[in-house]
Amino acid sequence: MSNEDQSHVLQPIGRVESPLTDRASAPKQADEGAPGAVLAFDARVSEGLRDLRAGTDVLLLTWFDRADREVLAVHPRGEPARPETGVFSTRSPDRPNPIGLHQVTVMSVEPDPRAGTRVHVRALEALDGTPILDVKPVLVCRADR
């Protein structure tokens, strides 16, 4: 890989505020008892959040800043009895580019263009302080309508 291929820079647009602080005791998926959380966005991106509404489902992209980026194979769900599997066939946070993907429901939005926007979401398994990279709407496929 050339240096040019490695020059991509991601800038977090906010941070997760969560009661989850310990990776070992955090749920592995949102539906396994994850608590609600706050997405604390920087003021510089407030304009981009202006149309976000309570009740909306969004995809949240995060950066697993505590991940081991050298890992290429894991025992799924950390269970040694399961056969080792390549990370790209798992949801392991340990991977070369540890991007987290979470579908969350917006509970409320507190806009403040000076201090940043705070978005309360239901059931998020990300740890406190996890950098937020992006938010995208969940699109409903035509076949699902």
Side-chain angles (χ1 to χ4, degrees):
M1 210 179 261
S2 73
N3 285 338
E4 183 177 294
D5 293 336
Q6 297 179 6
S7 65
H8 304 289
V9 176
L10 298 174
Q11 296 180 357
I13 58 173
R15 301 255 175 210
V16 172
E17 294 178 359
S18 170
L20 299 174
T21 58
D22 177 47
R23 181 175 162 182
S25 61
K28 295 193 183 313
Q29 298 297 325
D31 64 355
E32 296 175 350
V38 174
L39 311 179
F41 290 96
D42 298 343
R44 66 185 168 86
V45 300
S46 292
E47 178 71 11
L49 298 162
R50 71 179 188 187
D51 299 308
L52 206 54
R53 302 283 182 260
T56 304
D57 288 333
V58 296
L59 295 175
L60 175 68
L61 284 85
T62 61
W63 186 263
F64 291 141
D65 56 326
R66 287 154 265 198
D68 183 342
R69 297 184 70 182
E70 301 300 317
V71 172
L72 292 175
V74 296
H75 293 280
R77 302 188 62 77
E79 296 175 9
R82 290 183 158 192
E84 196 171 63
T85 304
V87 294
F88 302 126
S89 295
T90 75
R91 303 252 325 173
S92 172
D94 295 320
R95 54 197 326 114
N97 288 313
I99 297 171
L101 177 65
H102 320 264
Q103 183 170 335
V104 295
T105 301
V106 174
M107 303 306 293
S108 66
V109 180
E110 299 172 7
D112 183 339
R114 293 178 312 274
T117 301
R118 297 174 59 78
V119 177
H120 296 258
V121 297
R122 179 184 315 164
L124 177 60
E125 74 280 16
L127 299 178
D128 187 58
T130 298
I132 299 169
L133 299 178
D134 204 353
V135 177
K136 296 179 180 281
V138 172
L139 300 178
V140 178
C141 296
R142 291 179 186 207
D144 294 342
R145 290 186 208 175

